[in-house]
Amino acid sequence: MAVVNNLEDAHEQIDTAISTALKESKPVYISIGCNLPAIPHPTFSREPVPFFLNPRVSNQMGLEAAVEATLQVLSKAVKPVLVGGPKIRVAKAKDAFVQLADVSGYPVAVMPSAKGLVPEHHPHFIGTYWGAVSTAFCAEIVESADAYIFAGPIFNDYSSVGYSLLLKKEKAIIVQPERVVVANGPAFGCVLMKDFFQALSKRIAKNTTAFENYKRIFVPEGQPLECAPKEPLRVNVLFKHIQKMLSGSTAVIAETGDSWFNCQKLKLPEGCGYEFQMQYGSIGWSVGATLGYAQAAQDKRVIACIGDGSFQVTAQDVSTMIRCGQNTIIFLINNGGYTIEVEIHDGPYNVIKNWNYTGLVDAIHNGEGKCWTAKVTCEEELKDAIETATGPKQDCLCFIEVIVHKDDTSKELLEWGSRVSAANSRPPNPQ
């Protein structure tokens, strides 16, 4: 954070903040006194001085030692696997990770918070590894492996399903953006993830055993039961239709809550964007994230899946979406409360006041800009709404309120919620 209170060091503080953002791939905050911006100063009157950041490089001896130690573990492994984590993004190592996946022949899984960072069209992709709520057959392959490479993981109570992952440290090679830890053995600092994967790719032996095992046990998932005419809409039917909407020119924003689990099951076509926020479980995050993503990625149409409770926290951002002329499709899933909180810790505070959500958005629209709303209660109405949103109203912000039963949740949320609840409500451990 840079706080600019005078002009003498303003340029240094601003340069430091910007360079920190670039180096760390993290946000910075610059605060400038409101009485300063209009004051001329010699520092800012000349042409900008060219700014240069020294590129980060790996310690070459450390890199070679990390690769050697890793190969010693992998050479003894019969069925190793590869798991992508969220820090692949900040490490700028996606291409190197895919290169390693290509060369190694290992099955490729992804942690839930890294969905969208690993291409799901990869021939060895086996789904999301999320402990007990993993994609079918994925956890069985990962947890039965005798070696696993985790690329940039974050293990917390949410990603580990209440610390219930069946992993063993002595089997794990943990690769962070600038550090490699091999099993219970040595740790190697100053080793960039990208460099490590590229170097490992040149020497790793191909091993498709684990992926062959996956293919033997894999059974394609079923489809939701067909809806009767005018039958109340079910969430799994909603996401069946959202799946059909996805392409390389779309992006999915998944709100904290049951959308975590339902969106996790979507199969992303090549080029389809995906964002969700697991580290803090911030309810309401997705409305602002949808606004920002759509403003930056104007070559994609954003599809946001947002619960009613979450939407109530940050609903006003829809105003800026309309003002900016965005054509996002928002599915507002109205089930009358904070469903994910019910599964973790229930109470009367999880029931919320119902809004006329389409009426609210119409009021925000106020006839200025392009906006279209619909309220759907059955599959027939949903199909009509999607056809309109992707056809005549494709240049509009489309807000589709979906009415579902308050207890209509994914099985994954029920399992995850019970495990996280058990972990987070355990008695404190006195030290």
Side-chain angles (χ1 to χ4, degrees), residues 215-238:
K215 289 198 296 184
R216 289 188 189 97
I217 66 173
F218 177 75
V219 177
E221 64 184 38
Q223 290 296 312
L225 295 173
E226 289 297 318
C227 290
K230 298 298 180 181
E231 178 186 342
L233 189 61
R234 301 191 306 272
V235 171
N236 56 19
V237 173
L238 166 65

Side-chain angles (χ1 to χ4, degrees), residues 301-330:
R301 192 170 195 193
V302 178
I303 299 171
C305 301
I306 308 174
D308 52 337
S310 299
F311 184 75
Q312 287 196 11
V313 179
T314 47
Q316 66 273 20
D317 277 340
V318 169
S319 179
T320 309
M321 296 179 197
I322 297 172
R323 182 173 64 81
C324 293
Q326 296 180 358
N327 68 340
T328 293
I329 300 174
I330 295 176

Side-chain angles (χ1 to χ4, degrees), residues 342-406:
V342 170
E343 302 307 327
I344 298 174
H345 192 280
D346 198 9
Y349 37 77
N350 289 328
V351 179
I352 61 175
K353 172 71 178 68
N354 191 38
W355 289 2
N356 179 358
Y357 293 96
T358 54
L360 173 70
V361 173
D362 287 336
I364 293 172
H365 175 212
N366 197 27
E368 298 174 358
K370 295 181 177 181
C371 177
W372 175 78
T373 64
K375 193 186 298 276
V376 303
T377 60
C378 61
E379 186 175 18
E380 296 93 327
E381 293 173 354
L382 174 66
K383 290 164 71 174
D384 289 344
I386 291 173
E387 286 177 11
T388 302
T390 55
K393 300 296 182 181
Q394 60 184 329
D395 61 340
C396 296
L397 177 78
C398 295
F399 184 90
I400 302 172
E401 180 182 354
V402 182
I403 310 295
V404 296
H405 193 276
K406 68 181 181 66

Side-chain angles (χ1 to χ4, degrees), residues 192-320:
L192 300 183
M193 183 189 293
K194 179 171 66 174
D195 295 344
F196 175 76
F197 286 153
Q198 288 174 341
L200 187 60
S201 296
K202 295 175 181 175
R203 299 187 54 191
I204 198 168
K206 198 175 189 74
N207 184 339
T208 61
T209 302
F211 184 67
E212 296 297 331
N213 290 345
Y214 172 78
K215 289 198 296 184
R216 289 188 189 97
I217 66 173
F218 177 75
V219 177
E221 64 184 38
Q223 290 296 312
L225 295 173
E226 289 297 318
C227 290
K230 298 298 180 181
E231 178 186 342
L233 189 61
R234 301 191 306 272
V235 171
N236 56 19
V237 173
L238 166 65
F239 279 89
K240 178 182 76 171
H241 288 283
I242 291 176
Q243 177 69 67
K244 296 174 184 176
M245 299 171 69
L246 303 186
S247 70
S249 59
T250 61
V252 176
I253 306 289
E255 174 57 87
T256 298
D258 200 25
S259 290
W260 270 4
F261 305 93
N262 289 303
C263 290
Q264 209 41 244
K265 290 183 278 189
L266 294 172
K267 295 174 177 59
L268 303 182
E270 185 174 0
C272 182
Y274 187 93
E275 297 293 338
F276 92 142
Q277 191 281 115
M278 169 165 279
Q279 183 66 16
Y280 305 104
S282 302
I283 291 173
W285 162 87
S286 70
V287 188
T290 296
L291 166 62
Y293 193 107
Q295 195 64 13
Q298 299 194 12
D299 59 328
K300 294 186 184 296
R301 192 170 195 193
V302 178
I303 299 171
C305 301
I306 308 174
D308 52 337
S310 299
F311 184 75
Q312 287 196 11
V313 179
T314 47
Q316 66 273 20
D317 277 340
V318 169
S319 179
T320 309

Side-chain angles (χ1 to χ4, degrees), residues 1 25 30 35 38 50 66 128 132 156 161 206 222 243 247 289 339 365 374 378:
M1 177 175 176
S25 293
I30 302 174
N35 60 335
T128 299
N156 56 22
V161 197
K206 198 175 189 74
Q243 177 69 67
S247 70
T339 304
H365 175 212
C378 61

Side-chain angles (χ1 to χ4, degrees), residues 78-81 129 137-148 166-167 171 210 213-214 217:
V78 177
K79 44 185 182 178
V81 300
Y129 174 62
F137 313 108
C138 180
E140 291 81 357
I141 294 300
V142 172
E143 294 182 343
S144 67
D146 49 359
Y148 11 77
L166 301 179
L167 301 174
K171 297 180 181 180
N213 290 345
Y214 172 78
I217 66 173

Side-chain angles (χ1 to χ4, degrees), residues 52-243:
F52 179 73
L53 284 176
N54 289 322
R56 289 185 172 180
V57 295
S58 296
N59 178 295
Q60 201 58 37
M61 292 182 67
L63 173 62
E64 293 170 5
V67 171
E68 285 293 341
T70 299
L71 289 172
Q72 286 184 21
V73 172
L74 296 179
S75 65
K76 301 172 186 174
V78 177
K79 44 185 182 178
V81 300
L82 190 56
V83 184
K87 292 185 182 179
I88 287 177
R89 189 202 304 264
V90 295
K92 299 179 173 62
K94 176 182 175 180
D95 291 343
F97 180 86
V98 173
Q99 178 186 358
L100 179 61
D102 291 339
V103 172
S104 67
Y106 296 0
V108 179
V110 62
M111 296 183 75
S113 47
K115 186 176 177 72
L117 300 181
V118 175
E120 299 187 7
H121 60 277
H122 191 280
H124 285 179
F125 184 75
I126 64 171
T128 299
Y129 174 62
W130 201 355
V133 295
S134 299
T135 304
F137 313 108
C138 180
E140 291 81 357
I141 294 300
V142 172
E143 294 182 343
S144 67
D146 49 359
Y148 11 77
I149 301 175
F150 277 85
I154 295 177
F155 296 110
N156 56 22
D157 54 344
Y158 285 0
S159 66
S160 67
V161 197
Y163 306 105
S164 63
L165 301 183
L166 301 179
L167 301 174
K168 293 186 177 180
K169 190 175 179 182
E170 61 268 20
K171 297 180 181 180
I173 297 156
I174 307 294
V175 186
Q176 296 293 9
E178 297 184 22
R179 183 178 177 83
V180 178
V181 181
V182 180
N184 280 325
F188 303 91
C190 300
V191 175
L192 300 183
M193 183 189 293
K194 179 171 66 174
D195 295 344
F196 175 76
F197 286 153
Q198 288 174 341
L200 187 60
S201 296
K202 295 175 181 175
R203 299 187 54 191
I204 198 168
K206 198 175 189 74
N207 184 339
T208 61
T209 302
F211 184 67
E212 296 297 331
N213 290 345
Y214 172 78
K215 289 198 296 184
R216 289 188 189 97
I217 66 173
F218 177 75
V219 177
E221 64 184 38
Q223 290 296 312
L225 295 173
E226 289 297 318
C227 290
K230 298 298 180 181
E231 178 186 342
L233 189 61
R234 301 191 306 272
V235 171
N236 56 19
V237 173
L238 166 65
F239 279 89
K240 178 182 76 171
H241 288 283
I242 291 176
Q243 177 69 67

